[in-house]
């Protein structure tokens, strides 16, 4: 393995929390109006309609001005990008779009942002069915246009110009929601920086899913960054270098190449199972956020989907998805992953994942301790039923498992299982094919669930530990808040003991226990989890080959000893020291490589 030597870059270095893989080098693209979430509300009188038409008109004018200004202001080396703006201006003047938006405001009485969003989605849906690559390639332009219009309506007070993304840019924002990250044009964006956010915030998980080198928690960086600054984002170290010198650029370009080579080398063995040197097999699955990730999970050696976070399908749109739409997506995932099992987690809305259709009041209540996940579903039975019907219909196409999030009581499992049984019967009566066996699992991510684990384990077909929330709720720390990220300690003795207790309870009743939170993806924590007895680990696709290789180089018996010893630690530091000490000799090289790559 040929790793570049350590390097201390000169220049303005900012520190944050590194997320995802690798290094990005590119011009800064500052997003000042970060909130592209679209709220929808009804216009109840003619005055409101007039006001919305006026906002739309102003947004159209402002957006066109912005495009013209951006085009004229392009530096010479980017002049080839001018045609993007011409194309956007033509689209912006397209009477079909304007007529459609107007109709939604006047006839359907929908507010201007939601009307634009709906019209753009309708046009994209039509275009995506046309089998002409040229037409389909316009979809991104149209989506960008929609976002620019929506931001222009939000920005009417500050007149903030929002330039169009140039290829290879690094997006910098105060904060982005998971939906906003998922809406970034990945082909154009090379990296991401935010002032807020942390390792296991959902926005970070989406950035990882998109393969974006990301640094979050870079406090106050927007005060100094300027649009167009050259940035290096080193996600491994959590470093951002602003306007680096030639040496730094050369060093990071070399590192990028070395990293790619190293990844390729590891990925070549990704299809091999994770069997330890003393012949113990650990199943390594992938976490899926966006359907587009599925091929990457399989190519990186994922032996199944251990966690399909379904909420992202609900977030970036002005209406709830229909059963048919959900079924189509789930069927595609389940059938493409087959014969590998797919664990579909039911909706985990709430906290930082807020429905675009929720009004401000609803959104305010949807905090981490509010109407989140299973609680939301059990209070919105129509939404829950629609999703369950789609999941069970998809189950006919491949091995499917259902996973219930944020369970904190037996009643929640029983109520959900009753609904599941009703759904199954309904579908069978209606003549749908449904798999005979669809195991129903429970996420263990709330302290109450661990305390009740003996009871819960008896009701569940499998258990999956969500360490991200388990740490958040046990240590009373917001997982997305960089101010407390140093206190967010996976090796905290309370967390380790809870994990051990959960696995023991599962083993006692013959129910498998897996881990799908971020601890499953760490080179220090993954061996510990296996030592505790976890059967399966589920993680972002990028780390699957590394973790599989790590286990192929380990002895199961050693991980068990490590687990025993670490459990005796009284503090997080002691536990971490114990793990590092154990893994030092065998994995020193590996961990250096892992750091290079993750
Ligand atoms: C977890 O909490 O660890 C988990 C896997 O769920 P999410 O990260 O989606 O909340
Ligand atoms: Mg969770």
């Amino acid at each position: 393995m040929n790793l570049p030597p350590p390097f201390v870059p000169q220049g303005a270095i900012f520190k944050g929390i590194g997320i995802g893989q690798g290094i990005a080098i590119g011009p800064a693209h500052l997003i000042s109006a970060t909130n592209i979430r679209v709220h929808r509300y009804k216009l109840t009188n003619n005055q409101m309609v007039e006001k919305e038409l006026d906002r739309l008109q102003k947004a159209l004018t402002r957006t066109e001005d912005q495009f013209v200004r951006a085009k004229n202001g392009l530096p010479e080396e980017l002049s080839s990008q001018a045609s993007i703006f011409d194309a956007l201006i033509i689209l912006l003047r397209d009477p079909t779009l304007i007529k459609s938006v107007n109709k939604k405001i006047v006839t359907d009485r929908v507010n201007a942002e939601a009307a634009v969003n709906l019209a753009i989605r309708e046009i994209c849906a039509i275009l995506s069915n046309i089998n002409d690559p040229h037409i389909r390639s316009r979809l991104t332009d149209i989506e960008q246009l929609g976002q620019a219009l929506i931001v222009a309506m939000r920005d009417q007070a500050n007149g903030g110009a929002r330039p169009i993304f140039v290829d290879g840019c690094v997006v910098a924002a105060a904060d982005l929601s998971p939906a906003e990250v998922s809406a970034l044009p990945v082909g154009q964006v090379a990296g991401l920086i935010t002032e807020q956010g942390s390792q296991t915030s959902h926005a970070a998980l989406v950035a990882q899913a998109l393969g974006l080198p990301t640094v979050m928690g870079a406090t106050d960086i927007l005060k100094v960054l300027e649009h167009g600054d050259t940035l290096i984002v080193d996600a491994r170290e959590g470093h951002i270098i602003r306007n680096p010198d030639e040496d730094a650029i050369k060093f990071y370009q070399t590192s990028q190449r070395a990293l790619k080579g190293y990844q390729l080398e590891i990925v070549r063995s990704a299809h091999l199972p994770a069997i330890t040197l003393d012949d113990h097999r650990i199943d390594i699955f992938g976490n899926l956020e966006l359907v587009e990730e599925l091929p990457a999970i399989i190519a990186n050696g994922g032996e199944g989907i251990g966690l399909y976070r379904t909420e992202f399908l609900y977030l970036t749109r002005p209406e709830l998805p229909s059963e048919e739409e959900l079924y189509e997506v789930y069927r595609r995932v389940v059938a493409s992953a087959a014969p590998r099992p797919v664990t579909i987690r039911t909706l985990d809305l709430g906290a930082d994942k807020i429905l675009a259709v929720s009004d401000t009041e609803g959104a305010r209540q949807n905090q981490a301790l509010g109407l989140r996940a299973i609680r939301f579903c059990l209070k919105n039975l129509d939404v829950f039923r629609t999703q369950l019907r789609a999941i069970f219909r998809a189950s006919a196409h491949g091995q499917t498992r259902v996973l219930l999030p944020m369970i904190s009581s037996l009643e929640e499992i029983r109520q959900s299982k009753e609904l599941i049984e009703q759904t199954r019967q309904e579908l069978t009566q209606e003549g749908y094919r449904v798999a005979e066996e669809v195991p129903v699992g429970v996420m263990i991510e709330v302290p109450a669930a661990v305390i009740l684990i003996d009871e819960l384990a008896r009701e569940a077909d499998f258990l999956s530990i969500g360490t991200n929330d388990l740490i958040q709720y046990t240590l009373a720390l917001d997982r997305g808040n960089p101010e407390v990220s140093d206190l967010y300690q996976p090796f905290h003795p309370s967390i380790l003991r809870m994990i051990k207790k959960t696995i023991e309870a599962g083993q006692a009743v013959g129910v498998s226990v897996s881990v799908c939170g971020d601890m499953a993806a760490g080179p220090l924590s993954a061996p510990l989890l296996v030592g505790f007895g976890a059967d399966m680990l589920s993680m972002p696709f990028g780390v699957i080959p590394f973790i599989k290789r790590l286990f192929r180089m380990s002895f199961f018996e050693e991980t068990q000893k490590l687990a025993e010893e670490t459990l005796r630690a009284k503090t997080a530091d002691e536990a971490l020291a114990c793990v590092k000490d154990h893994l030092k000799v065998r994995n020193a090289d590996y961990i250096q490589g892992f750091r290079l790559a993750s």
Side-chain angles (χ1 to χ4, degrees):
M1 183 186 342
N2 219 354
L3 304 178
F7 172 82
V8 184
Q10 299 305 307
I13 304 179
F14 302 87
K15 292 199 173 136
I17 301 156
I19 284 142
Q21 311 219 349
I23 297 162
I25 307 173
H29 176 111
L30 270 48
I31 302 185
S32 51
T34 60
N35 191 349
I36 47 175
R37 202 173 293 145
V38 183
H39 294 296
R40 178 175 173 169
Y41 51 87
K42 198 91 189 150
L43 309 177
T44 49
N45 57 47
N46 290 343
Q47 233 176 337
M48 284 176 91
V49 170
E50 287 307 318
K51 191 170 153 224
E52 292 305 286
L53 287 173
D54 183 51
R55 288 179 68 224
L56 173 67
Q57 197 46 53
K58 284 191 177 127
L60 285 165
T61 313
R62 167 168 301 130
T63 307
E64 182 164 338
D65 280 356
Q66 263 179 34
F67 290 163
V68 172
R69 264 188 284 130
K71 179 185 157 186
N72 295 339
L74 275 178
E76 210 175 303
E77 61 274 23
L78 294 177
S79 57
S80 59
Q81 310 259 351
S83 59
I84 299 176
F85 296 104
D86 291 330
L88 285 169
I89 292 167
I90 293 170
L91 284 173
L92 190 63
R93 292 181 185 160
D94 182 352
T96 325
L97 171 69
I98 297 174
K99 227 165 102 188
S100 166
V101 180
N102 270 321
K103 179 181 163 292
K104 290 185 191 330
I105 297 175
V106 178
T107 316
D108 305 340
R109 304 241 153 185
V110 169
N111 60 308
E113 287 102 321
V116 167
N117 203 28
L118 283 168
I120 293 281
R121 288 195 177 273
E122 280 170 14
I123 294 172
C124 288
I126 295 167
L127 293 188
S128 58
N129 282 327
I130 296 176
N131 209 3
D132 174 334
H134 176 68
I135 293 183
R136 289 164 69 132
S137 69
R138 307 312 304 275
L139 287 175
T140 322
D141 292 350
I142 296 171
E143 277 170 2
Q144 278 208 29
L145 175 74
Q147 287 188 3
L149 275 172
I150 291 164
V151 171
M153 284 183 231
R154 301 271 165 82
D155 265 7
Q156 283 180 13
N158 66 17
R162 183 175 190 264
I164 289 302
F165 295 103
V166 293
D167 285 349
C169 66
V170 172
V171 167
D175 193 14
L176 288 178
S177 73
E180 287 158 350
V181 177
S182 74
L184 290 173
V186 262
Q188 287 163 296
V189 175
L192 177 64
I193 299 170
T194 59
E195 291 187 331
Q196 293 296 314
S198 183
Q199 180 70 39
T200 60
S201 63
H202 285 96
L205 296 172
V206 178
Q208 234 176 312
L210 296 175
L212 284 178
T214 298
V215 173
M216 291 192 164
T219 316
D220 289 340
I221 193 164
L222 292 184
K223 286 192 183 139
V224 289
L225 282 193
E226 290 198 21
H227 195 75
D229 276 349
T230 299
L231 294 179
I232 294 174
V233 180
D234 183 349
R236 308 159 307 163
E237 299 291 340
H239 285 171
I240 301 156
I241 307 165
R242 177 180 172 229
N243 293 332
D245 59 18
E246 278 294 303
D247 283 351
I249 293 186
K250 267 198 208 126
F251 171 80
Y252 279 100
Q253 282 170 339
T254 312
S255 294
Q256 264 182 328
R257 281 193 295 275
L259 171 60
K260 283 207 177 100
Y262 183 65
Q263 278 171 329
L264 278 178
E265 185 192 316
I266 297 269
V267 168
R268 250 184 249 131
S269 61
H271 60 283
L272 297 175
I275 300 177
T276 59
L277 295 168
D278 49 353
D279 217 21
H280 178 79
R281 180 174 177 147
I282 306 119
D283 294 329
I284 305 291
F285 283 27
N287 289 353
L288 181 77
E289 285 76 30
L290 311 168
V291 179
E292 297 75 20
E293 276 179 280
L294 185 59
I297 293 179
I298 293 172
N300 280 276
E303 295 160 341
I305 306 300
L307 171 65
Y308 176 9
R309 292 182 165 103
T310 56
E311 43 281 1
F312 295 104
L313 271 179
Y314 290 67
L315 299 180
T316 46
R317 44 189 303 150
E319 77 292 322
L320 291 167
S322 66
E323 174 185 324
E324 218 42 48
E325 203 178 329
L326 291 174
Y327 162 67
E328 205 31 62
V329 177
Y330 299 161
R331 184 195 60 74
R332 202 149 41 97
V333 171
V334 168
S336 317
R340 301 168 189 83
V342 175
T343 314
I344 306 185
R345 182 175 72 183
T346 59
L347 264 182
D348 183 9
L349 287 174
D352 53 354
K353 295 176 288 190
I354 296 167
L355 273 183
V357 285
S358 53
D359 56 18
T360 344
E361 185 59 16
R364 200 172 57 72
Q365 289 169 357
N366 258 333
Q367 301 300 322
L369 299 180
L371 204 53
R372 185 181 164 186
I374 199 70
R375 303 166 183 179
F376 172 89
C377 286
L378 291 175
K379 286 208 171 148
N380 291 275
L381 289 179
D382 47 339
V383 179
F384 198 13
R385 272 203 194 96
T386 304
Q387 187 182 33
L388 289 174
R389 282 179 62 91
I391 296 174
F392 276 82
R393 283 175 59 193
S395 74
H397 301 274
Q399 213 182 315
T400 309
R401 316 192 315 158
V402 174
L403 181 57
L404 306 169
M406 281 259 317
I407 293 289
S408 59
S409 71
L410 261 184
E411 291 91 322
E412 285 167 344
I413 308 182
R414 288 184 178 150
Q415 237 179 306
S416 305
K417 281 172 72 174
E418 210 176 295
L419 216 62
I420 285 172
E421 204 34 55
Q422 279 169 14
T423 307
R424 172 192 281 288
Q425 281 174 18
E426 245 170 55
L427 289 171
T428 316
Q429 277 160 15
E430 289 168 33
Y432 287 108
R433 227 158 37 87
V434 174
E436 263 177 32
E437 246 193 70
V438 180
V440 178
V442 169
M443 283 205 67
I444 304 300
E445 47 185 351
V446 183
V450 181
I451 293 166
L452 280 181
I453 195 65
D454 294 333
E455 278 75 20
L456 302 192
R458 270 185 227 106
E459 289 282 332
D461 296 323
F462 64 97
L463 302 174
S464 185
I465 306 177
T467 51
N468 304 338
D469 277 315
L470 190 60
I471 299 168
Q472 158 164 273
Y473 292 121
T474 304
L475 302 183
L477 293 165
D478 179 350
R479 61 193 258 192
N481 183 347
E483 277 182 333
V484 286
S485 65
D486 58 326
L487 300 173
Y488 187 94
Q489 292 166 328
F491 294 94
H492 194 288
S494 63
I495 303 298
L496 301 182
R497 291 171 202 189
M498 281 178 151
I499 294 173
K500 177 68 180 159
K501 180 172 161 67
T502 302
I503 294 175
E504 273 177 356
Q507 287 171 339
V509 291
V511 160
S512 85
V513 185
S514 51
V515 180
C516 61
D518 237 39
M519 278 181 81
L524 297 179
S525 45
L528 191 56
L529 297 170
V530 168
F532 285 152
D535 304 310
M536 182 264 271
L537 304 180
S538 190
M539 60 198 72
F541 69 81
V543 286
I544 292 174
F546 300 90
I547 295 288
K548 282 177 110 175
R549 183 159 139 157
L550 171 64
F551 285 120
R552 287 200 297 272
M553 291 159 43
S554 310
F555 284 94
F556 178 50
E557 211 177 291
E558 270 183 19
T559 66
Q560 287 179 308
K561 275 195 208 132
L562 164 70
E564 244 172 64
E565 219 173 283
T566 313
L567 268 182
R568 286 198 287 270
K570 293 189 184 65
T571 66
D573 284 348
E574 257 178 60
L576 187 57
C578 179
V579 175
K580 281 189 175 160
D581 196 42
H582 250 267
L583 298 178
K584 191 168 60 197
V585 184
R586 178 167 300 285
N587 298 331
D589 244 22
Y590 171 82
I591 286 171
Q592 196 196 352
F594 186 94
R595 275 171 54 70
L596 180 78
S598 64

